[in-house]
């Protein structure tokens, strides 16, 4: 549903951008005698180009309707806006399901705390990978349907529409979404296991993620963006804030180390707690 809303928004943006270009061009032609080439900076004086930015924006807006470019744009929005909330929530709820349904004592007797904790980590990793793959497939399907449905409905006369991305174009965004999903799923898992009730930690996470500004370069949100920025090109209208400078390798190592430490501390708390009286 989220992907559909953003896809429809992309079509609306493209249509509005083209209509705006046509209106501005008509005004310049009637009032200033501009040719279209002159208005976009392809005439004798490149500095006299009042329509150049509007023309480039409209061209890119139409390109955003192409299947792989649209899929990439959708994945980027989901990766940095939707995925943290969804996967944190999923991680918090999934690992407390046994306790909620009074099954924890039986699994603890059968498997022991170590195997039980490890199985939860593995299950969460598989779930994030499967859900992200499903999101990619759905996004590509929606983007393709949108492209077929809107083909010919937007006037591309005089536009220089960039070619669609290669089939591998969405893969960096796909990989980034898996990484983001794992980080926030493990954070949700750890918070829920330590505090034992996901409903306690979800409101705190929502406030911290959406309302609290990024707290310097070592904030996990900043580290994720520092990893993403060298590999992603945000051209679909969604532009996250520029991260505080952290080398990409350093950001990846810090994020991996921090997630590992959080899981290790969670295991210490989890393993010392009785699971047989729940």
């Amino acid at each position: 549903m989220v992907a559909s809303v953003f896809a429809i928004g992309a079509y609306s943006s493209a249509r509005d951008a083209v209509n705006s270009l046509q209106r501005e061009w008509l005004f310049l032609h009637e009032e200033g005698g501009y040719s279209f080439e002159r208005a976009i900076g392809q005439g004798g004086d490149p500095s006299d180009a009042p329509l150049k930015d509007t023309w480039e924006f409209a061209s890119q807006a139409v390109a955003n309707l192409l299947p792989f470019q649209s899929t990439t744009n959708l994945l980027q929005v989901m990766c940095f806006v939707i995925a943290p909330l969804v996967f944190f929530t999923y991680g918090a709820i999934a690992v407390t399901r046994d306790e909620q349904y009074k099954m924890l004592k039986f699994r603890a007797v059968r498997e022991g705390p170590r195997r039980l904790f490890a199985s939860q980590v593995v299950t969460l990793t598989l779930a994030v990978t499967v859900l992200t793959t499903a999101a990619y497939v759905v996004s590509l399907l929606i983007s393709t349907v949108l492209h077929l449905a809107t083909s010919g409905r937007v006037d591309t006369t005089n536009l220089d529409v960039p070619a669609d991305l290669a089939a591998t174009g969405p893969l960096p965004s796909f990989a980034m979404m898996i990484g983001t999903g794992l980080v926030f799923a493990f954070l949700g898992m750890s918070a829920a296991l330590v505090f034992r009730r996901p409903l306690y930690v979800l409101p705190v996470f929502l406030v911290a993620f959406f309302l609290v500004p990024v707290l310097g370069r070592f904030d996990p949100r900043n580290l994720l963006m520092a990893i993403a920025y060298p590999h992603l090109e945000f051209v679909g209208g969604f532009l996250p804030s520029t991260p505080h400078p952290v080398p990409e390798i350093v950001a990846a190592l810090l994020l991996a180390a921090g997630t590992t430490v959080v899981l290790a501390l969670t295991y210490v708390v989890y393993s010392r707690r009785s699971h047989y009286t729940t």
Side-chain angles (χ1 to χ4, degrees):
M1 184 180 69
V2 173
S4 299
V5 170
F6 279 103
I8 294 171
Y11 168 66
S12 178
S13 296
R15 185 181 57 190
D16 291 345
V18 171
N19 290 340
S20 177
L21 174 66
Q22 292 173 341
R23 288 194 301 269
E24 291 184 34
W25 150 239
L26 183 61
F27 174 80
L28 287 171
H29 180 65
E30 293 179 348
E31 300 296 327
Y34 278 81
S35 66
F36 190 80
E37 289 74 17
R38 176 188 170 192
I40 64 174
Q42 296 181 358
D45 184 7
S47 64
D48 184 21
L51 266 188
K52 183 178 180 180
D53 290 341
T54 306
W55 173 67
E56 291 178 347
F57 179 79
S59 297
Q60 184 59 59
V62 173
N64 289 338
L65 300 178
L66 298 173
F68 290 113
Q69 181 64 69
S70 179
T71 299
T72 299
N73 297 341
L74 289 172
L75 287 176
Q76 289 174 353
V77 172
M78 287 192 288
C79 177
F80 298 107
V81 179
I82 307 300
L85 173 60
V86 169
F87 286 121
F88 185 95
T89 303
Y90 180 81
I93 293 175
V95 298
T96 54
R97 188 175 295 130
D98 287 333
E99 186 171 354
Q100 180 182 356
Y101 290 103
K102 309 301 181 182
M103 294 295 295
L104 182 59
K105 65 178 72 175
F106 302 107
R107 292 196 63 188
V109 170
R110 185 180 61 192
E111 303 176 30
R114 181 180 300 178
R115 286 185 58 192
L116 183 56
F117 187 84
S119 70
Q120 290 170 331
V121 171
V122 171
T123 301
L124 206 53
T125 301
L126 292 175
V128 169
T129 303
V130 170
L131 290 173
T132 302
T133 303
Y136 170 75
V137 173
V138 171
S139 296
L140 181 58
L141 179 62
I142 290 173
S143 298
T144 303
V145 170
L146 176 70
H147 173 67
L148 294 175
T150 60
S151 182
R153 293 178 178 269
V154 178
D155 184 6
T156 59
T157 305
N158 296 323
L159 294 181
D160 184 17
V161 180
D164 196 7
L165 298 177
T168 57
L171 292 184
S173 299
F174 172 72
M176 196 66 212
M177 190 170 172
I178 289 181
T180 300
L182 288 174
V183 168
F184 283 98
F186 289 146
L187 288 178
M189 169 185 171
S190 297
L193 288 179
V194 170
F195 295 103
R196 310 191 73 165
R197 293 293 184 272
L199 293 181
Y200 294 169
V201 299
L202 291 179
V204 176
F205 171 74
L206 287 174
V207 172
F209 186 81
F210 289 107
L211 299 182
V212 176
V214 174
L215 303 175
R217 63 180 64 192
F218 300 119
D219 188 309
R221 294 169 294 177
N222 185 72
L223 295 177
L224 284 168
M225 290 308 306
I227 297 171
Y229 250 75
H231 303 285
L232 304 184
E233 183 179 3
F234 300 97
V235 297
F238 168 71
L239 184 63
S241 58
T242 303
H244 298 283
V246 180
E248 180 185 352
I249 298 299
V250 174
L253 291 175
L254 287 173
L255 203 56
T259 304
T260 302
V261 169
V262 169
L263 286 175
L265 294 176
T266 302
Y267 174 71
V268 171
V269 174
Y270 182 76
S271 62
R272 294 183 178 181
R273 179 186 296 157
S274 174
H275 307 295
Y276 308 108
T277 58
T278 57

